[in-house]
Amino acid sequence: MGDESHRVATSDDIEVSAYLEIAKELHGEAAIAEEGLRPTPERETVVVIDFGSQYSMLIARRVRECRVYCELVPHDTPWQKIASLNPKGFILSGGPASVYDPGVPLAPSYVYESRLPVLGICYGMQVLTHQLGGQVASGSKHEYGHAILHLSATDTPLFANLPPSLPVWMSHGDQIMKLPPGFRALAYTDNSPISVMGNDNNIFGLQFHPEVVHTPHGKMILQNFLYEICGCKGNWTPSNFIAESIDRIKQQVGEGKVICALSGGVDSAVVATLIHRAINDQLTCIFVNNGLLRREESERVLNTFQRNLHMNVVYVDASERFLEQLRGVVDPEEKRHRIGEEFIRVFEEEASKLGKVDLLAQGTLYPDVIESTAAQTKVSAKIKTHHNVGGLPARMSLTLIEPLRNLFKDEVREVGLALGLPEDMIWRQPFPGPGLAIRIIGEVTKQRLEILRAADWIVMNEIKKAKLYRQLWQSFAVLTDVKSVGVMGDYRTYGYLVAIRAVTSEDAMTADWAHLPYDLLTRISNRIVNEVPGVNRVVYDITSKPPATIEWE
Ligand code: XMP
C-alpha cells in the first residue's frame, strides 16, 4: 500500500459504488449480496521468519510498502500455518545469535523443501550458509554502520535498477567464509568479500540490512526480490484490502449484530467505517463521552459518524459519572483504573439495551498482535497500564471481530483515506484513553478540566497554524498542580502553571522533545496567559523519552 500513501482521492470507492449500481441493474440486489462487491485479486503473501532482530518488524513494513502482503512469524511456526498463507517466498530476518552457538534458532526445513525463493538478511544469510553446507566465522573486523557495497554480478534480477556501488548499513559480527555449494558471491564491501550471495534456485543472502533507512536502495532490493524473483505483482492496495475485508466481515458476521466502541481515534474510526461498509445497520457504535475529551471532540465524532456517514451511533454523555469516580483521586494509576472500570460499566449498560449482540469490533493492529506473541516470553517492568479498555472483551464474552489485525498504522491511515474518512481524523495525533485526566496533575475537577481544555485548544490551534501538527507525534498542554506568583497590570496574581509538551517519535517507545520555534512558543505562552483565566505561567518541557515519558502521568 505504501506507494499510495497520502492518497486522498477515493477513485476506488467511486468504482465500487459505480459497480454496485451497474450490478444492481443487471442482477438485482440478491445477486450482489451473493457475489460480494467485486472480485479481488488473489492475495500474494511473503513470509518473514523472525530470528529476533530489532529490525524484523521493519522488514515486514518495507515489504508491505512494496504493496506485497507479508506476515512476520516466529522461526518455529509449523508448516500448517505457513501453508495456509500460500506463500510466494520467504525472508529470513536478522537476529542476535551466532549460528554455531548451541540451541540457536535455524530455518525450518520447509523453507528449503518448498523450493520457494528465499532471502536471508544478516543472521538469516548466515543461517542459509550454515544449513546449506557453507562456513560462517567470526569476522576479523566486526562491521557496524555505513559501508559501500560493490556489485560484482550484473546478471541477477536482485540488482535490477541499482547503481554499481551503493551505501548500505551493516551490523554483524560473523561473516561468510565459504559459500555453500552452488552459490556464488554477487557483491562485496571492503570488510566482507561475500556481502551478497545467490544460487540458481532463487536463494539469496544479504550481509547488510536493506530494511533500514541507512540503506537508501534497500527498498529497491526488497522490491526486486518480491517482484522479479518471487513473481509478486504488488496487489496489496487499500482498495483490494477493503474489498477483501468486506467479504470476510460479511462471512464472519452473517446475520449477526456487531457493536463497536468509537473513541474518535483513527483505529476505531477505520474499524467502524469498514464494518459499516460491509454490514450497514447490523453495526451499532457506542460513543462514550467520558468528559475527559478535548474541546469539540465529541461534536466532531458525532458529526462524522452520525451525520455524514449515517451510522447507528449511540451517544452517551457519561461525564458526570466519570467525574464522580475521579473525585479526590490523584494517583495516576488509580485514575487509569477507575476510568477503565467505569468505561466498561457504561459500555455494558448501553450494549445491554441493544438486545442480543453477537460480536464486538476492535481496532487491534498488527504490531499489537506481534508484540503480544513476543510478550508471552518476555518479562518487563510495568511503567503504565496503557490498555485501559483491555477488560472489555473478557468481561462481555463476545466474539471479537478485528478487521485491522494484519495492518500497520500507516496502512490503517491509507485504508481510512480510501474509505473517505476526513483527513483531520486520519492524521489525528494519538490521544490516551484516560484523556485529559492524565494531563491534569492532581485531582480532576470540572474547573480544572475547563482550564486545561482552553489551554490545550490554543496549543493545538497554534501548532496547526504553524503547519507542524503532522510532524509532531503529539503536542498538548498539561495542567500542573503548581501555583506561582505573577503580575498582571498592577495586580499580583497567583495562578496555575501550564506545561507544553511536544514530541517527535516513530512509535512512542522513545521520543525527542520537539525543537519548536521560539516565536511559536511565544505565541502559545502569550495566548494562554491572556486567554485562559487562572493560568499565569507557561513552561516548555524539554525532556526526551527516556528518561521521561510522553504523558506526565
Ligand atoms: P508514555 O506516556 O508512556 O506514552 O510515554 C506513550 C504513548 O501512549 C499513550 N498513553 C496512553 N494511551 N491509555 C492509552 O490509551 C493510557 O493510559 C495511556 N498512557 C499513555 C501516550 O499518549 C503516548 O502516545
Side-chain angles (χ1 to χ4, degrees), residues 188-245:
Y188 60 93
T189 67
D190 284 350
N191 284 325
S192 299
I194 308 171
S195 290
V196 180
M197 66 177 195
N199 72 1
D200 292 337
N201 293 327
N202 286 330
I203 301 185
F204 295 90
L206 307 176
Q207 187 68 89
F208 58 91
H209 289 274
E211 67 277 20
V212 302
V213 286
H214 309 296
T215 302
H217 295 87
K219 197 164 141 191
M220 179 56 77
I221 297 171
L222 286 174
Q223 186 167 306
N224 287 339
F225 176 71
L226 299 166
Y227 289 14
E228 309 291 334
I229 295 164
C230 299
C232 296
K233 305 254 176 338
N235 61 22
W236 176 245
T237 60
S239 55
N240 285 337
F241 170 81
I242 292 169
E244 201 181 280
S245 301

Short mmCIF file of all heavy atoms in Angstrom, two decimals, residues 188-245:
data_model
loop_
_atom_site.label_atom_id
_atom_site.label_comp_id
_atom_site.label_asym_id
_atom_site.label_seq_id
_atom_site.Cartn_x
_atom_site.Cartn_y
_atom_site.Cartn_z
N TYR A 188 30.40 -7.26 -2.81
CA TYR A 188 31.36 -7.25 -1.70
C TYR A 188 31.47 -5.84 -1.11
O TYR A 188 31.10 -4.86 -1.76
CB TYR A 188 32.74 -7.73 -2.18
CG TYR A 188 33.32 -6.85 -3.27
CD1 TYR A 188 34.18 -5.78 -2.96
CD2 TYR A 188 33.01 -7.08 -4.62
CE1 TYR A 188 34.68 -4.96 -3.95
CE2 TYR A 188 33.51 -6.25 -5.61
CZ TYR A 188 34.36 -5.20 -5.28
OH TYR A 188 34.84 -4.38 -6.26
N THR A 189 31.98 -5.78 0.12
CA THR A 189 32.40 -4.50 0.70
C THR A 189 33.87 -4.68 1.10
O THR A 189 34.40 -5.79 1.01
CB THR A 189 31.60 -4.14 1.97
OG1 THR A 189 31.94 -5.08 3.00
CG2 THR A 189 30.11 -4.16 1.75
N ASP A 190 34.49 -3.63 1.61
CA ASP A 190 35.90 -3.73 1.99
C ASP A 190 36.12 -4.82 3.03
O ASP A 190 37.12 -5.52 3.02
CB ASP A 190 36.39 -2.40 2.57
CG ASP A 190 36.62 -1.41 1.44
OD1 ASP A 190 36.58 -1.86 0.27
OD2 ASP A 190 36.81 -0.21 1.73
N ASN A 191 35.15 -4.98 3.93
CA ASN A 191 35.33 -5.93 5.01
C ASN A 191 34.67 -7.28 4.79
O ASN A 191 34.95 -8.23 5.51
CB ASN A 191 34.78 -5.36 6.32
CG ASN A 191 35.72 -4.34 6.90
OD1 ASN A 191 36.93 -4.47 6.77
ND2 ASN A 191 35.17 -3.30 7.49
N SER A 192 33.74 -7.35 3.85
CA SER A 192 33.02 -8.61 3.62
C SER A 192 33.13 -9.00 2.15
O SER A 192 32.37 -8.48 1.32
CB SER A 192 31.54 -8.47 3.95
OG SER A 192 31.37 -8.15 5.29
N PRO A 193 34.04 -9.92 1.84
CA PRO A 193 34.18 -10.33 0.44
C PRO A 193 32.89 -10.96 -0.11
O PRO A 193 32.62 -10.90 -1.29
CB PRO A 193 35.30 -11.37 0.48
CG PRO A 193 35.92 -11.27 1.84
CD PRO A 193 34.98 -10.58 2.75
N ILE A 194 32.11 -11.54 0.80
CA ILE A 194 30.83 -12.10 0.34
C ILE A 194 29.70 -11.35 1.05
O ILE A 194 29.21 -11.75 2.09
CB ILE A 194 30.73 -13.61 0.65
CG1 ILE A 194 31.96 -14.35 0.13
CG2 ILE A 194 29.45 -14.20 0.08
CD1 ILE A 194 32.07 -15.80 0.57
N SER A 195 29.30 -10.22 0.48
CA SER A 195 28.24 -9.42 1.12
C SER A 195 26.87 -9.78 0.60
O SER A 195 25.86 -9.51 1.24
CB SER A 195 28.47 -7.94 0.88
OG SER A 195 29.58 -7.53 1.61
N VAL A 196 26.85 -10.31 -0.62
CA VAL A 196 25.60 -10.81 -1.19
C VAL A 196 25.93 -12.13 -1.86
O VAL A 196 26.96 -12.25 -2.51
CB VAL A 196 25.01 -9.84 -2.25
CG1 VAL A 196 23.70 -10.39 -2.81
CG2 VAL A 196 24.78 -8.45 -1.66
N MET A 197 25.08 -13.14 -1.65
CA MET A 197 25.30 -14.42 -2.34
C MET A 197 23.98 -14.90 -2.94
O MET A 197 22.90 -14.45 -2.53
CB MET A 197 25.86 -15.46 -1.36
CG MET A 197 24.88 -15.86 -0.28
SD MET A 197 25.56 -17.16 0.79
CE MET A 197 24.08 -17.71 1.63
N GLY A 198 24.08 -15.79 -3.92
CA GLY A 198 22.86 -16.32 -4.52
C GLY A 198 23.15 -17.61 -5.25
O GLY A 198 24.30 -17.90 -5.58
N ASN A 199 22.10 -18.44 -5.46
CA ASN A 199 22.29 -19.64 -6.27
C ASN A 199 21.23 -19.65 -7.38
O ASN A 199 20.45 -18.70 -7.52
CB ASN A 199 22.24 -20.91 -5.40
CG ASN A 199 20.83 -21.22 -4.89
OD1 ASN A 199 19.88 -20.51 -5.20
ND2 ASN A 199 20.71 -22.30 -4.12
N ASP A 200 21.20 -20.72 -8.17
CA ASP A 200 20.28 -20.74 -9.30
C ASP A 200 18.86 -21.14 -8.89
O ASP A 200 17.97 -21.20 -9.73
CB ASP A 200 20.79 -21.71 -10.38
CG ASP A 200 22.06 -21.16 -11.02
OD1 ASP A 200 22.26 -19.93 -10.94
OD2 ASP A 200 22.86 -21.96 -11.54
N ASN A 201 18.67 -21.44 -7.61
CA ASN A 201 17.33 -21.80 -7.14
C ASN A 201 16.66 -20.65 -6.40
O ASN A 201 15.80 -20.86 -5.53
CB ASN A 201 17.39 -23.01 -6.20
CG ASN A 201 17.81 -24.25 -6.95
OD1 ASN A 201 17.48 -24.40 -8.13
ND2 ASN A 201 18.57 -25.12 -6.31
N ASN A 202 17.11 -19.44 -6.71
CA ASN A 202 16.49 -18.25 -6.11
C ASN A 202 16.63 -18.16 -4.60
O ASN A 202 15.73 -17.69 -3.90
CB ASN A 202 15.00 -18.16 -6.49
CG ASN A 202 14.83 -17.75 -7.92
OD1 ASN A 202 15.67 -17.02 -8.46
ND2 ASN A 202 13.77 -18.22 -8.55
N ILE A 203 17.76 -18.65 -4.10
CA ILE A 203 18.06 -18.45 -2.68
C ILE A 203 19.18 -17.39 -2.60
O ILE A 203 20.22 -17.55 -3.23
CB ILE A 203 18.49 -19.75 -2.00
CG1 ILE A 203 17.36 -20.79 -2.14
CG2 ILE A 203 18.83 -19.52 -0.53
CD1 ILE A 203 17.61 -22.09 -1.41
N PHE A 204 18.91 -16.33 -1.85
CA PHE A 204 19.85 -15.21 -1.77
C PHE A 204 20.15 -14.86 -0.32
O PHE A 204 19.32 -15.09 0.57
CB PHE A 204 19.26 -13.96 -2.44
CG PHE A 204 19.05 -14.12 -3.91
CD1 PHE A 204 17.84 -14.61 -4.40
CD2 PHE A 204 20.05 -13.79 -4.81
CE1 PHE A 204 17.63 -14.76 -5.76
CE2 PHE A 204 19.85 -13.94 -6.18
CZ PHE A 204 18.64 -14.43 -6.65
N GLY A 205 21.32 -14.30 -0.11
CA GLY A 205 21.67 -13.81 1.22
C GLY A 205 22.25 -12.41 1.13
O GLY A 205 23.01 -12.10 0.21
N LEU A 206 21.88 -11.55 2.08
CA LEU A 206 22.43 -10.19 2.16
C LEU A 206 23.10 -10.04 3.51
O LEU A 206 22.47 -10.31 4.54
CB LEU A 206 21.33 -9.13 2.07
CG LEU A 206 20.35 -9.17 0.90
CD1 LEU A 206 19.29 -8.08 1.09
CD2 LEU A 206 21.08 -8.95 -0.42
N GLN A 207 24.33 -9.59 3.52
CA GLN A 207 25.01 -9.39 4.80
C GLN A 207 24.55 -8.10 5.49
O GLN A 207 24.64 -7.96 6.69
CB GLN A 207 26.53 -9.35 4.55
CG GLN A 207 27.36 -9.32 5.78
CD GLN A 207 27.28 -10.61 6.58
OE1 GLN A 207 28.04 -11.52 6.36
NE2 GLN A 207 26.36 -10.68 7.52
N PHE A 208 24.04 -7.16 4.68
CA PHE A 208 23.63 -5.85 5.24
C PHE A 208 22.12 -5.82 5.46
O PHE A 208 21.41 -6.79 5.15
CB PHE A 208 24.06 -4.73 4.27
CG PHE A 208 23.47 -4.90 2.90
CD1 PHE A 208 22.26 -4.33 2.57
CD2 PHE A 208 24.12 -5.66 1.93
CE1 PHE A 208 21.70 -4.50 1.32
CE2 PHE A 208 23.56 -5.84 0.67
CZ PHE A 208 22.36 -5.26 0.36
N HIS A 209 21.65 -4.69 5.98
CA HIS A 209 20.21 -4.55 6.28
C HIS A 209 19.52 -3.67 5.23
O HIS A 209 19.65 -2.45 5.28
CB HIS A 209 20.02 -3.94 7.67
CG HIS A 209 20.38 -4.89 8.76
ND1 HIS A 209 19.49 -5.81 9.27
CD2 HIS A 209 21.56 -5.10 9.41
CE1 HIS A 209 20.09 -6.54 10.19
NE2 HIS A 209 21.35 -6.13 10.30
N PRO A 210 18.77 -4.27 4.32
CA PRO A 210 18.10 -3.45 3.30
C PRO A 210 16.89 -2.69 3.87
O PRO A 210 16.40 -1.76 3.25
CB PRO A 210 17.63 -4.49 2.28
CG PRO A 210 17.42 -5.74 3.07
CD PRO A 210 18.46 -5.71 4.16
N GLU A 211 16.42 -3.09 5.05
CA GLU A 211 15.16 -2.54 5.57
C GLU A 211 15.33 -1.20 6.28
O GLU A 211 14.36 -0.50 6.52
CB GLU A 211 14.51 -3.56 6.53
CG GLU A 211 15.25 -3.82 7.85
CD GLU A 211 16.38 -4.84 7.74
OE1 GLU A 211 16.85 -5.08 6.60
OE2 GLU A 211 16.81 -5.39 8.77
N VAL A 212 16.59 -0.82 6.61
CA VAL A 212 16.77 0.42 7.37
C VAL A 212 16.98 1.62 6.43
O VAL A 212 17.44 1.43 5.30
CB VAL A 212 17.96 0.32 8.38
CG1 VAL A 212 17.75 -0.83 9.35
CG2 VAL A 212 19.28 0.18 7.66
N VAL A 213 16.66 2.80 6.92
CA VAL A 213 16.77 3.98 6.04
C VAL A 213 18.20 4.26 5.63
O VAL A 213 18.45 4.89 4.60
CB VAL A 213 16.18 5.26 6.69
CG1 VAL A 213 14.69 5.24 6.70
CG2 VAL A 213 16.74 5.50 8.07
N HIS A 214 19.16 3.76 6.42
CA HIS A 214 20.57 4.00 6.08
C HIS A 214 21.01 3.18 4.87
O HIS A 214 22.15 3.32 4.41
CB HIS A 214 21.47 3.65 7.26
CG HIS A 214 21.04 4.30 8.54
ND1 HIS A 214 21.03 5.66 8.69
CD2 HIS A 214 20.59 3.78 9.70
CE1 HIS A 214 20.59 5.94 9.91
NE2 HIS A 214 20.31 4.82 10.53
N THR A 215 20.18 2.30 4.37
CA THR A 215 20.46 1.63 3.09
C THR A 215 19.46 2.20 2.09
O THR A 215 18.36 1.66 1.91
CB THR A 215 20.27 0.09 3.21
OG1 THR A 215 21.12 -0.39 4.24
CG2 THR A 215 20.61 -0.61 1.91
N PRO A 216 19.82 3.33 1.45
CA PRO A 216 18.82 4.04 0.65
C PRO A 216 18.23 3.21 -0.49
O PRO A 216 17.09 3.43 -0.89
CB PRO A 216 19.59 5.25 0.09
CG PRO A 216 20.87 5.33 0.86
CD PRO A 216 21.14 3.98 1.46
N HIS A 217 19.01 2.27 -1.06
CA HIS A 217 18.45 1.45 -2.15
C HIS A 217 17.82 0.16 -1.63
O HIS A 217 17.48 -0.73 -2.41
CB HIS A 217 19.54 1.10 -3.17
CG HIS A 217 20.09 2.29 -3.88
ND1 HIS A 217 21.13 3.05 -3.37
CD2 HIS A 217 19.75 2.88 -5.04
CE1 HIS A 217 21.40 4.04 -4.20
NE2 HIS A 217 20.58 3.96 -5.22
N GLY A 218 17.71 0.06 -0.31
CA GLY A 218 17.25 -1.19 0.29
C GLY A 218 15.86 -1.60 -0.17
O GLY A 218 15.59 -2.78 -0.43
N LYS A 219 15.00 -0.60 -0.31
CA LYS A 219 13.63 -0.94 -0.70
C LYS A 219 13.60 -1.49 -2.14
O LYS A 219 12.83 -2.38 -2.45
CB LYS A 219 12.74 0.29 -0.57
CG LYS A 219 11.29 -0.06 -0.56
CD LYS A 219 10.45 1.08 -0.04
CE LYS A 219 9.18 1.17 -0.85
NZ LYS A 219 8.45 2.39 -0.59
N MET A 220 14.51 -0.94 -2.97
CA MET A 220 14.58 -1.44 -4.35
C MET A 220 15.04 -2.89 -4.36
O MET A 220 14.54 -3.73 -5.12
CB MET A 220 15.53 -0.54 -5.16
CG MET A 220 15.70 -0.96 -6.60
SD MET A 220 14.15 -1.07 -7.52
CE MET A 220 13.80 0.64 -7.83
N ILE A 221 16.00 -3.22 -3.49
CA ILE A 221 16.49 -4.60 -3.43
C ILE A 221 15.35 -5.53 -2.97
O ILE A 221 15.13 -6.59 -3.56
CB ILE A 221 17.71 -4.70 -2.47
CG1 ILE A 221 18.85 -3.84 -3.03
CG2 ILE A 221 18.15 -6.15 -2.29
CD1 ILE A 221 20.04 -3.66 -2.10
N LEU A 222 14.62 -5.10 -1.95
CA LEU A 222 13.49 -5.92 -1.48
C LEU A 222 12.44 -6.04 -2.59
O LEU A 222 11.91 -7.12 -2.84
CB LEU A 222 12.85 -5.28 -0.24
CG LEU A 222 13.64 -5.42 1.05
CD1 LEU A 222 12.99 -4.62 2.17
CD2 LEU A 222 13.77 -6.89 1.46
N GLN A 223 12.19 -4.93 -3.26
CA GLN A 223 11.20 -4.95 -4.33
C GLN A 223 11.64 -5.89 -5.46
O GLN A 223 10.82 -6.63 -6.01
CB GLN A 223 10.99 -3.54 -4.85
CG GLN A 223 9.88 -3.46 -5.87
CD GLN A 223 9.49 -2.02 -6.14
OE1 GLN A 223 9.17 -1.26 -5.23
NE2 GLN A 223 9.54 -1.64 -7.39
N ASN A 224 12.93 -5.87 -5.78
CA ASN A 224 13.43 -6.79 -6.82
C ASN A 224 13.20 -8.24 -6.39
O ASN A 224 12.80 -9.08 -7.19
CB ASN A 224 14.92 -6.57 -7.06
CG ASN A 224 15.18 -5.28 -7.82
OD1 ASN A 224 14.28 -4.77 -8.50
ND2 ASN A 224 16.40 -4.75 -7.72
N PHE A 225 13.49 -8.51 -5.12
CA PHE A 225 13.26 -9.88 -4.64
C PHE A 225 11.77 -10.25 -4.78
O PHE A 225 11.41 -11.31 -5.29
CB PHE A 225 13.71 -10.02 -3.18
CG PHE A 225 13.41 -11.37 -2.59
CD1 PHE A 225 14.12 -12.50 -2.99
CD2 PHE A 225 12.40 -11.53 -1.65
CE1 PHE A 225 13.82 -13.76 -2.47
CE2 PHE A 225 12.10 -12.78 -1.12
CZ PHE A 225 12.81 -13.90 -1.53
N LEU A 226 10.91 -9.32 -4.36
CA LEU A 226 9.47 -9.63 -4.35
C LEU A 226 8.89 -9.74 -5.75
O LEU A 226 8.14 -10.66 -6.06
CB LEU A 226 8.72 -8.53 -3.57
CG LEU A 226 9.13 -8.38 -2.10
CD1 LEU A 226 8.61 -7.08 -1.52
CD2 LEU A 226 8.62 -9.57 -1.29
N TYR A 227 9.26 -8.77 -6.61
CA TYR A 227 8.64 -8.72 -7.94
C TYR A 227 9.35 -9.64 -8.93
O TYR A 227 8.74 -10.42 -9.62
CB TYR A 227 8.67 -7.29 -8.50
CG TYR A 227 7.74 -6.30 -7.82
CD1 TYR A 227 7.14 -6.57 -6.60
CD2 TYR A 227 7.45 -5.08 -8.41
CE1 TYR A 227 6.30 -5.65 -5.98
CE2 TYR A 227 6.61 -4.16 -7.81
CZ TYR A 227 6.04 -4.45 -6.59
OH TYR A 227 5.22 -3.52 -5.98
N GLU A 228 10.70 -9.49 -8.99
CA GLU A 228 11.45 -10.19 -10.04
C GLU A 228 11.67 -11.65 -9.68
O GLU A 228 11.76 -12.50 -10.55
CB GLU A 228 12.83 -9.54 -10.27
CG GLU A 228 12.81 -8.04 -10.48
CD GLU A 228 12.18 -7.67 -11.81
OE1 GLU A 228 12.23 -8.51 -12.72
OE2 GLU A 228 11.60 -6.57 -11.90
N ILE A 229 11.81 -11.93 -8.39
CA ILE A 229 12.21 -13.29 -8.01
C ILE A 229 11.00 -14.09 -7.49
O ILE A 229 10.79 -15.22 -7.89
CB ILE A 229 13.38 -13.23 -7.01
CG1 ILE A 229 14.58 -12.63 -7.75
CG2 ILE A 229 13.72 -14.61 -6.46
CD1 ILE A 229 15.70 -12.14 -6.90
N CYS A 230 10.21 -13.48 -6.64
CA CYS A 230 9.02 -14.21 -6.15
C CYS A 230 7.85 -14.10 -7.14
O CYS A 230 6.86 -14.82 -7.00
CB CYS A 230 8.57 -13.66 -4.80
SG CYS A 230 9.79 -13.83 -3.51
N GLY A 231 7.94 -13.16 -8.07
CA GLY A 231 6.86 -13.02 -9.07
C GLY A 231 5.62 -12.32 -8.54
O GLY A 231 4.54 -12.46 -9.10
N CYS A 232 5.77 -11.54 -7.48
CA CYS A 232 4.61 -10.81 -6.96
C CYS A 232 4.27 -9.64 -7.88
O CYS A 232 5.15 -9.08 -8.54
CB CYS A 232 4.90 -10.26 -5.56
SG CYS A 232 5.17 -11.56 -4.35
N LYS A 233 3.01 -9.27 -7.88
CA LYS A 233 2.58 -8.16 -8.74
C LYS A 233 2.38 -6.88 -7.94
O LYS A 233 2.22 -5.81 -8.49
CB LYS A 233 1.25 -8.50 -9.40
CG LYS A 233 1.24 -9.82 -10.17
CD LYS A 233 1.26 -9.53 -11.64
CE LYS A 233 1.34 -10.75 -12.54
NZ LYS A 233 1.87 -11.97 -11.97
N GLY A 234 2.34 -6.99 -6.62
CA GLY A 234 2.13 -5.79 -5.81
C GLY A 234 0.66 -5.42 -5.74
O GLY A 234 0.30 -4.28 -6.03
N ASN A 235 -0.20 -6.37 -5.40
CA ASN A 235 -1.63 -6.05 -5.39
C ASN A 235 -2.17 -5.78 -3.98
O ASN A 235 -3.37 -5.77 -3.76
CB ASN A 235 -2.45 -7.15 -6.08
CG ASN A 235 -2.32 -8.49 -5.40
OD1 ASN A 235 -1.98 -8.55 -4.21
ND2 ASN A 235 -2.58 -9.56 -6.11
N TRP A 236 -1.29 -5.57 -3.02
CA TRP A 236 -1.73 -5.25 -1.65
C TRP A 236 -1.99 -3.75 -1.59
O TRP A 236 -1.13 -2.96 -1.21
CB TRP A 236 -0.65 -5.70 -0.67
CG TRP A 236 -0.92 -5.35 0.77
CD1 TRP A 236 -0.20 -4.49 1.54
CD2 TRP A 236 -1.94 -5.87 1.62
NE1 TRP A 236 -0.72 -4.44 2.81
CE2 TRP A 236 -1.79 -5.28 2.88
CE3 TRP A 236 -2.98 -6.78 1.43
CZ2 TRP A 236 -2.63 -5.57 3.96
CZ3 TRP A 236 -3.82 -7.06 2.50
CH2 TRP A 236 -3.63 -6.45 3.75
N THR A 237 -3.18 -3.35 -2.00
CA THR A 237 -3.51 -1.92 -2.05
C THR A 237 -4.70 -1.68 -1.11
O THR A 237 -5.44 -2.62 -0.80
CB THR A 237 -3.94 -1.51 -3.48
OG1 THR A 237 -5.08 -2.30 -3.83
CG2 THR A 237 -2.83 -1.74 -4.49
N PRO A 238 -4.91 -0.43 -0.70
CA PRO A 238 -6.05 -0.16 0.18
C PRO A 238 -7.36 -0.66 -0.41
O PRO A 238 -8.18 -1.26 0.27
CB PRO A 238 -6.05 1.35 0.32
CG PRO A 238 -4.65 1.76 0.06
CD PRO A 238 -4.11 0.78 -0.93
N SER A 239 -7.55 -0.42 -1.72
CA SER A 239 -8.85 -0.80 -2.27
C SER A 239 -9.03 -2.31 -2.29
O SER A 239 -10.13 -2.81 -2.02
CB SER A 239 -9.06 -0.20 -3.66
OG SER A 239 -8.00 -0.58 -4.47
N ASN A 240 -7.96 -3.06 -2.58
CA ASN A 240 -8.08 -4.53 -2.52
C ASN A 240 -8.31 -5.00 -1.10
O ASN A 240 -9.10 -5.91 -0.85
CB ASN A 240 -6.84 -5.21 -3.08
CG ASN A 240 -6.81 -5.12 -4.59
OD1 ASN A 240 -7.85 -4.96 -5.22
ND2 ASN A 240 -5.63 -5.21 -5.17
N PHE A 241 -7.61 -4.36 -0.15
CA PHE A 241 -7.81 -4.74 1.25
C PHE A 241 -9.27 -4.50 1.65
O PHE A 241 -9.90 -5.33 2.29
CB PHE A 241 -6.87 -3.95 2.17
CG PHE A 241 -7.23 -4.12 3.63
CD1 PHE A 241 -6.81 -5.24 4.33
CD2 PHE A 241 -8.02 -3.18 4.29
CE1 PHE A 241 -7.18 -5.42 5.66
CE2 PHE A 241 -8.39 -3.35 5.61
CZ PHE A 241 -7.96 -4.48 6.30
N ILE A 242 -9.80 -3.36 1.23
CA ILE A 242 -11.17 -3.03 1.62
C ILE A 242 -12.15 -4.05 1.03
O ILE A 242 -12.99 -4.60 1.74
CB ILE A 242 -11.53 -1.58 1.17
CG1 ILE A 242 -10.71 -0.58 1.99
CG2 ILE A 242 -13.03 -1.30 1.33
CD1 ILE A 242 -10.77 0.85 1.48
N ALA A 243 -11.97 -4.33 -0.25
CA ALA A 243 -12.89 -5.28 -0.90
C ALA A 243 -12.80 -6.66 -0.23
O ALA A 243 -13.82 -7.29 0.07
CB ALA A 243 -12.56 -5.37 -2.38
N GLU A 244 -11.56 -7.08 0.04
CA GLU A 244 -11.34 -8.39 0.66
C GLU A 244 -11.94 -8.42 2.07
O GLU A 244 -12.59 -9.38 2.46
CB GLU A 244 -9.82 -8.57 0.75
CG GLU A 244 -9.32 -9.96 0.89
CD GLU A 244 -7.81 -9.94 0.98
OE1 GLU A 244 -7.12 -9.82 -0.05
OE2 GLU A 244 -7.31 -10.03 2.11
N SER A 245 -11.74 -7.33 2.82
CA SER A 245 -12.25 -7.29 4.20
C SER A 245 -13.76 -7.31 4.23
O SER A 245 -14.36 -7.92 5.09
CB SER A 245 -11.81 -6.01 4.91
OG SER A 245 -10.44 -5.95 4.94
#
